[in-house]
Amino acid sequence: GENVEQHPSTLSVQEGDSAVIKCTYSDSASNYFPWYKQELGKGPQLIIDIRSNVGEKKDQRIAVTLNKTAKHFSLHITETQPEDSAVYFCAANMNTGFQKLVFGTGTRLLVSP
Amino acid sequence: DADVTQTPRNRITKTGKRIMLECSQTKGHDRMYWYRQDPGLGLRLIYYSFDVKDINKGEISDGYSVSRQAQAKFSLSLESAIPNQTALYFCATSESGQGGTQYFGPGTRLLVL
């Protein structure tokens, strides 16, 4: 089955710096890769996703890149702000008729003013 | 109003007790999921349901059961709670089809003494 590894587990940056979180997946048939942000006391919320037919997607200060050959994808946050502090999860789907997501173990991002 | 709601938000119970966690959604989605979140382990799938008549086990279903009472309602039961079921539980929904975004509820924090 699919296995998703996520690094680093914690990341501390200064406000205004960039942050990068990386994930690798094992199932070459996976074709959907979402990123979720979880704030304290809340459920995960989708912030950006990418499908296997594109290599990069941007939405304002966040971007995701996908390397299908190497089976890894990354989340990039530029000009970080204190409100970006949260736990971020990557996920990959299992390419079956059912949209089952396998999640990484999460990255706690701390942005210091 | 929230699209995906969970009750209760917090629960303390004793070993051996039966408890039920409830999830309701107003998004009109066919698919519903129950996840468990533990520190350092990410989100792991307990059960998922394609529709009212279709329920499937996830990767960690032992000790849990579910009921899909209607399209909008999906309940998770712990038949005889044990301390290692202490965790944060999330319900999620998605549309049918591959690569559909999953929308999470706010979570239920369960403590089994």
Side-chain angles (χ1 to χ4, degrees):
Chain A
E2 177 68 281
N3 182 51
V4 176
E5 295 188 359
Q6 182 172 348
H7 299 280
S9 56
T10 59
L11 179 59
S12 294
V13 300
Q14 292 291 319
E15 183 177 0
D17 289 348
S18 295
V20 180
I21 302 170
K22 299 181 178 180
C23 289
T24 61
Y25 60 99
S26 61
D27 187 352
S28 58
S30 293
N31 61 3
Y32 174 64
F33 308 92
W35 285 89
Y36 285 83
K37 176 183 180 181
Q38 185 179 21
E39 298 176 329
L40 194 63
K42 297 183 179 180
Q45 284 195 305
L46 180 76
I47 55 172
I48 195 168
D49 57 14
I50 192 168
R51 300 182 190 274
S52 60
N53 58 344
V54 297
E56 183 176 7
K57 184 177 179 180
K58 292 183 179 180
D59 183 3
Q60 299 182 338
R61 295 187 298 108
I62 61 173
V64 57
T65 59
L66 172 65
N67 183 326
K68 290 187 292 183
T69 301
K71 290 189 284 188
H72 66 70
F73 57 113
S74 300
L75 178 71
H76 305 253
I77 306 174
T78 59
E79 301 174 18
T80 54
Q81 302 168 3
E83 51 266 38
D84 294 329
S85 296
V87 178
Y88 292 81
F89 291 97
C90 64
N93 73 325
M94 294 181 67
N95 192 19
T96 63
F98 163 65
Q99 190 245 323
K100 174 183 172 183
L101 293 178
V102 178
F103 285 84
T105 52
T107 296
R108 183 173 299 277
L109 174 64
L110 176 61
V111 181
S112 301
Chain B
D1 290 337
D3 294 320
V4 184
T5 58
Q6 292 183 235
T7 56
R9 293 296 312 278
N10 295 279
R11 179 73 183 268
I12 300 174
T13 191
K14 295 182 179 180
T15 297
K17 294 293 187 180
R18 182 181 187 276
I19 67 164
M20 179 182 290
L21 310 181
E22 298 186 345
C23 176
S24 294
Q25 53 115 345
T26 58
K27 300 188 76 66
H29 290 165
D30 289 328
R31 295 180 174 176
M32 298 187 73
Y33 315 75
W34 275 104
Y35 289 92
R36 168 177 173 160
Q37 184 177 36
D38 298 277
L41 294 179
L43 292 148
R44 293 181 292 166
L45 185 62
I46 306 172
Y47 271 94
Y48 59 96
S49 171
F50 279 165
D51 59 36
V52 175
K53 298 179 181 179
D54 192 349
I55 293 176
N56 304 275
K57 293 183 178 180
E59 59 182 308
I60 55 164
S61 60
D62 288 348
Y64 301 96
S65 63
V66 291
S67 172
R68 185 83 183 265
Q69 300 95 324
Q71 186 202 39
K73 296 183 181 297
F74 193 33
S75 300
L76 175 72
S77 294
L78 285 67
E79 299 301 326
S80 180
I82 56 177
N84 75 0
Q85 291 178 312
T86 292
L88 193 53
Y89 290 86
F90 288 102
C91 173
T93 74
S94 73
E95 294 178 329
S96 300
Q98 288 194 18
T101 300
Q102 290 192 16
Y103 297 88
F104 285 81
T108 294
R109 188 171 297 278
L110 175 65
L111 173 61
V112 183
L113 300 174

